[in-house]
Amino acid sequence: MLVLKFGGTSVSSKSNLEKIAVILSSKTSNYIVVVSAFSGITNKLEQIASLSLEGKHTVLLEEFRNFHFEFIKELVSESHQIDLFVEVQQKCNQLESICESVGTLKELSDRTQATILSFGEQLSSIIVQKYLSVNVKNPIKIDLLDSRKLISATTNESKDYLNAVLDLDKTTRNILAVVGVPTDDTKTNKNYIAAGFIASNQKGETVTLGRGGSDFSASIYANALDATKLEIWSDVNGMQSANPRKVQTTHSLQKLSYAEAFEMAYFGAKVLYPPSILPVMDKNIPLYLKNTFFPKQEGTFISSENQPTDNKIQGICSLDEIAIITVSGVGLAKQKGSARRVFQILEEANINIILITQSCSEQSIGIGINQSELQNAQNVLNFAFEKDIQKGLMNEVKAIENQCIVALVGDNMKNAIGLAGKVFGAIGENGINVTAIAQGASERNISIVIDKKDEEKALNVIHEKFFASTVKNVHVFIAGIGNVGTEFITILFAQKQKLIEEYQINLKIIGIANSKQLLFNHTTETFEKVEELTKEEILNFKQKKENKNAKTYSSLNEYFEAIKELNLRNSVFIDNTASDSVSEGYEFLIKNSISVVTCNKIACSSEYANYLKLNKLAKERNIHFKYETSVGAALPILKTIHDLKISGDKINQIEAVISGSLNFIFNNYNAENQFADVVLQAKEEGYTEPNPLIDLSGLDVMRKILILSRESGLNRELSDITFTSFLPDECTNSKSVEELFENLKKHENHFATLYQNAHKNGNKLKVVAKMEKGNLSVALQEIPSNSPFYTLEGKDNVVAINTNRYVDEPLVIKGAGAGAAVTASGVFADLMFIMNN
Ligand code: ADP
Ligand code: ASP
Ligand code: MG
């Protein structure tokens, strides 16, 4: 004998019932089918029950009746409809009179509630039985069993009506009497269908087995009949590694031990109702979780054959609506048995304890309970310990609300070295705070309590961390879509597919901002449920094409706040601007555990204290603040300095030509052309800052040498740099880019003289930045032909570093140090560094 249970979604459409008929007709042994109410019907009955208290149930009740009538019309031919209509009508009349009594008495006991809820399965079992018997393609001879007569339970207290306590012995006798012992061919040779979820108590009253209880009913039938197997058919491919509604990249768990399956179910994997495990485990009956929509899929096989997999996480589950209460005080440690008393008090008040954590000092116990039971728990404990609280031996019970429990489930987890560290590392990097941690005595789970708002983020982060085959989503927020920004986006979209395939990293651009507007791909007014932006949407945004989602902001803080509110895992902010207001947001972002990658020099060349603070904050939060491209574009300059330092070397001197733009300008200027024209060309080719004065005034080079000195370990400010200007004052004082160009033209002679003097001596002009004996300087210099800087072409940079190890010959880094494409590639490399770390 086989037992098959079909859940709400599985029985709720004609096409699904056709699938069920095919599944059943392929069975070679006899079976019992257990069905749930049609999808959503139990919830509707709950609503009807609560509305009936105020006499407002009529509309919903009518909907309930019509739903069943319409479904019958769709399922069976007219000749078969009449009987069903009569039955549905009778049941609905009974339901209506119960609701009316509730309205009159203004009282809804659990006893009445259980009767009301039972109508869903009462009706579905009758209707599905009829459909299976008379459908044209695969008619099946199948008899209806009345689960209320067969499944016996006890209700010791009024609350048990909705969660009745099974009487397995009596139930087994009842079932065997009707279906027959396995040797009795006349009875066992039949197929049956029964309602799930419902049973009756010792007084013959209708009770239910708890929400999701149809799985349990099926397991009870399987136990009573020593079934060869139990199949639970639902709308997913068996037990998944996480809830597929919360994690996008789950996979099916092919084999589980009973204990693992129980643990997953207990911690929220709704596909299986936890009490259903025991009856099948008791008789060693294999349990299969299958998908009605894709019957060929393997699903999950649960059995005692499945031995614990060593130290492996099978899945990740979560329970929300949790509150943590903390019972504390010296009395807990001093007075024997007080911890036991705490649990006893909660048990007596019928409060279900989900998780316990105890501090080493034994002076405090954290207890996870359902949020709905919080008030009651606080009251009973504070009342029971009133005297101890007055004496100062105990504290009033504290509570943390709106929590959720994330549980990692797998056999033998306790032995997995470093597993907890891996989890906490992953969630910590994403700014998720842990309220409490508990390792169940079962060794089968590690539970972490976190804020409910972080539930999905944590599930996804942990899932990505433990299942290598899972593609890791990285959420990218960009500021700036100028030259560098556009190149960055081009690189990102060009590499996207390759990164998914080869590195399992999916870079998703979620938000972008230019100097006036923000763009998120959101469907609602708020920034909830954002989708990634497509390349086309971004380029249209750049071209300022109409887009209803583009929002003009009054302050960039709106962007930073939105990034925080979205609370997406693996968030990285990319600054491709040269803007102050963007760099002012780094602190906020880093504090909220969002890594920052920037080619913008402003933050790192602002006050030393700020530079230090940002780096410290990032370190504390275990996230990244990367700015390799702020000096020498993609050249590995900061990385080299860092590597030298970490290997114990000391940076003594730096001499550098680190302005790609100035190098381009002085390499191309020959006094036969116009200095202003060469500057314009450099600007147009994207080598200068948006305002070339930043380059010409030396500020850009000063910022860079300042950053290099700080990375080398010096505490210096911009004002410490000795700068010798090569610009006439009038040029330096230009108020706008246009004015600058006019002034450059006006002073052409000044630049021609500089050039000719150098040329006469056989030298070239370069702006050289130096860090020497702790002093910083920037000046335009004549470079003789024997200098390594002499041959520096075009927009190239060179940095020569003398250290304790590189004494006579410096370590030299040379190459293209400006330009949108190389800078963007460096920004991208920083982003990849973060992903790989
Ligand atoms: P049925 O009506 O068939 O009993 P349920 O809704 O009770 O189905 O259970 C199936 C649902 O359980 C799935 O649709 C899925 O959303 C949810 N679920 C939660 N966690 C898991 C998990 N780890 N694996 C599979 N399903 C899960
Ligand atoms: N219909 C009941 C419920 O929705 C039982 C079940 O579907 O398992 O809870
Ligand atoms: Mg279910």
Side-chain angles (χ1 to χ4, degrees), residues 321-559:
E321 309 296 341
I322 298 291
I324 301 292
I325 51 173
T326 309
V327 186
S328 62
V330 284
L332 265 187
K334 277 192 183 158
Q335 293 171 322
K336 253 188 148 187
S338 29
R340 200 184 60 228
R341 233 181 107 206
V342 172
F343 300 125
Q344 200 177 345
I345 292 162
L346 292 172
E347 193 190 328
E348 280 163 11
N350 277 324
I351 293 163
N352 183 28
I353 296 172
I354 300 169
L355 160 149
I356 304 165
T357 61
Q358 184 155 20
S359 71
C360 300
S361 68
E362 293 184 6
Q363 286 192 13
S364 95
I365 311 173
I367 301 168
I369 56 171
N370 275 320
Q371 174 104 11
S372 58
E373 298 185 308
L374 175 61
Q375 196 60 53
N376 191 13
Q378 280 184 304
N379 291 346
V380 291
L381 287 169
N382 284 337
F383 180 74
F385 287 105
E386 197 176 1
K387 290 213 176 83
D388 289 342
I389 294 171
Q390 277 163 9
K391 284 189 218 152
L393 285 170
M394 299 284 281
N395 302 318
E396 291 226 341
V397 175
K398 291 198 196 79
I400 311 171
E401 296 183 53
N402 299 320
Q403 300 293 296
C404 77
I405 298 174
V406 172
L408 281 72
V409 176
D411 278 325
N412 273 352
M413 296 253 298
K414 203 165 163 185
N415 301 328
I417 299 164
L419 194 134
K422 208 167 153 187
V423 178
F424 297 127
I427 62 174
E429 280 159 20
N430 276 282
I432 302 167
N433 280 328
V434 176
T435 314
I437 306 158
Q439 177 146 19
S442 66
E443 304 185 6
R444 209 161 283 117
N445 104 53
I446 295 179
S447 302
I448 308 158
V449 183
I450 56 171
D451 206 294
K452 186 170 173 310
K453 74 169 189 344
D454 291 323
E455 180 185 0
E456 277 196 39
K457 189 174 176 184
L459 286 173
N460 280 284
V461 163
I462 301 171
H463 197 267
E464 283 168 354
K465 189 88 190 176
F466 282 94
F467 302 112
S469 58
T470 309
V471 174
K472 181 167 169 174
N473 285 327
V474 175
H475 301 103
V476 178
F477 299 88
I478 297 176
I481 185 158
N483 293 337
V484 178
T486 310
E487 287 289 346
F488 176 80
I489 283 152
T490 308
I491 297 174
L492 189 146
F493 281 102
Q495 295 303 100
K496 191 173 163 85
Q497 204 48 40
K498 188 180 159 91
L499 290 172
I500 294 175
E501 282 157 20
E502 289 178 22
Y503 297 88
Q504 284 79 46
I505 289 176
N506 188 4
L507 295 177
K508 294 180 164 183
I509 301 183
I510 302 296
I512 190 155
N514 61 24
S515 57
K516 291 185 187 66
Q517 290 197 307
L518 310 176
L519 180 67
F520 279 99
N521 202 344
H522 55 99
T523 37
T524 51
E525 254 312 289
T526 58
F527 287 134
E528 267 172 70
K529 298 274 166 231
V530 288
E531 302 267 332
E532 73 181 296
L533 291 163
T534 63
K535 188 174 182 187
E536 198 188 355
E537 281 168 323
I538 296 172
L539 294 179
N540 286 342
F541 177 67
K542 175 185 161 128
Q543 288 159 13
K544 305 197 169 52
K545 289 200 182 142
E546 191 55 34
N547 181 335
K548 66 174 176 19
N549 281 337
K551 178 176 182 275
T552 304
Y553 57 81
S554 52
S555 148
L556 257 181
N557 290 340
E558 290 174 34
Y559 188 33

Side-chain angles (χ1 to χ4, degrees), residues 111-172:
R111 180 166 150 260
T112 312
Q113 171 104 352
T115 305
I116 294 179
L117 296 192
S118 74
F119 282 95
E121 270 76 3
Q122 287 191 48
L123 288 177
S124 68
S125 53
I126 297 171
I127 296 170
V128 176
Q129 189 265 344
K130 186 66 145 192
Y131 169 81
L132 291 174
S133 318
V134 302
N135 82 91
V136 198
K137 282 192 204 149
N138 290 295
I140 291 163
K141 187 155 170 27
I142 192 161
D143 291 358
L144 183 66
L145 295 175
D146 186 345
S147 289
R148 286 178 301 169
K149 292 209 175 110
L150 301 184
I151 299 192
S152 295
T154 46
T155 46
N156 301 319
E157 297 176 48
S158 61
K159 66 160 179 72
D160 289 343
Y161 278 86
L162 293 170
N163 253 308
V165 184
L166 174 71
D167 180 342
L168 186 58
D169 288 343
K170 193 167 171 209
T171 301
T172 307

Side-chain angles (χ1 to χ4, degrees), residues 38-317:
F38 298 119
S39 195
I41 286 296
T42 314
N43 287 348
K44 192 170 230 128
L45 287 165
E46 269 185 343
Q47 283 176 292
I48 292 175
S50 73
L51 286 172
S52 66
L53 266 172
E54 299 166 53
K56 292 184 180 155
H57 55 275
T58 340
V59 175
L60 276 193
L61 188 68
E62 217 36 50
E63 274 178 33
F64 175 88
R65 193 192 315 256
N66 285 339
F67 168 83
H68 288 93
F69 278 153
E70 291 304 315
F71 197 32
I72 291 167
K73 283 189 210 156
E74 193 190 330
L75 288 181
V76 295
S77 62
E78 274 184 28
S79 58
H80 296 294
Q81 287 171 9
I82 310 296
D83 297 352
L84 285 178
F85 285 162
V86 172
E87 293 220 49
V88 172
Q89 190 59 27
Q90 274 173 0
K91 300 267 181 210
C92 286
N93 290 348
Q94 282 172 27
L95 176 60
E96 191 167 13
S97 61
I98 297 169
C99 290
E100 269 155 22
S101 325
V102 170
T104 316
L105 297 170
K106 302 228 172 311
E107 200 176 80
L108 176 63
S109 63
D110 285 357
R111 180 166 150 260
T112 312
Q113 171 104 352
T115 305
I116 294 179
L117 296 192
S118 74
F119 282 95
E121 270 76 3
Q122 287 191 48
L123 288 177
S124 68
S125 53
I126 297 171
I127 296 170
V128 176
Q129 189 265 344
K130 186 66 145 192
Y131 169 81
L132 291 174
S133 318
V134 302
N135 82 91
V136 198
K137 282 192 204 149
N138 290 295
I140 291 163
K141 187 155 170 27
I142 192 161
D143 291 358
L144 183 66
L145 295 175
D146 186 345
S147 289
R148 286 178 301 169
K149 292 209 175 110
L150 301 184
I151 299 192
S152 295
T154 46
T155 46
N156 301 319
E157 297 176 48
S158 61
K159 66 160 179 72
D160 289 343
Y161 278 86
L162 293 170
N163 253 308
V165 184
L166 174 71
D167 180 342
L168 186 58
D169 288 343
K170 193 167 171 209
T171 301
T172 307
R173 286 196 301 276
N174 296 341
I175 294 175
L176 291 179
V178 176
V179 180
V181 285
T183 47
D184 183 351
D185 278 352
T186 52
K187 287 180 179 169
T188 48
N189 214 4
K190 287 182 173 176
N191 299 320
Y192 298 95
I193 180 166
F197 187 51
I198 58 178
S200 53
N201 68 2
Q202 62 274 30
K203 295 185 222 158
E205 296 164 320
T206 300
V207 297
T208 66
L209 300 173
R211 292 302 308 267
S214 295
D215 299 349
F216 190 27
S217 311
S219 179
I220 296 166
Y221 278 109
N223 177 296
L225 290 162
D226 277 317
T228 46
K229 64 176 167 173
L230 167 62
E231 296 177 358
I232 293 187
W233 293 79
S234 184
D235 58 356
V236 269
N237 292 328
M239 182 70 81
Q240 303 287 300
S241 50
N243 183 346
R245 301 218 174 139
K246 293 183 175 157
V247 175
Q248 297 87 21
T249 47
T250 61
H251 56 265
S252 298
L253 304 177
Q254 288 178 353
K255 287 183 180 176
L256 288 175
S257 64
Y258 288 119
E260 284 172 326
F262 177 82
E263 210 82 2
M264 293 281 293
Y266 180 78
F267 281 98
K270 199 184 154 221
V271 66
L272 185 62
Y273 182 52
S276 350
I277 294 285
L278 211 56
V280 281
M281 192 171 123
D282 182 37
K283 294 268 178 88
N284 223 340
I285 300 168
L287 166 56
Y288 291 81
L289 304 182
K290 300 275 292 175
N291 188 345
T292 311
F293 305 105
F294 299 98
K296 293 214 169 78
Q297 295 268 3
E298 219 170 317
T300 301
F301 168 47
I302 300 161
S303 125
S304 58
E305 268 172 40
N306 299 332
Q307 284 311 309
T309 34
D310 258 356
N311 310 341
K312 208 180 121 202
I313 289 190
Q314 290 280 16
I316 304 151
C317 303

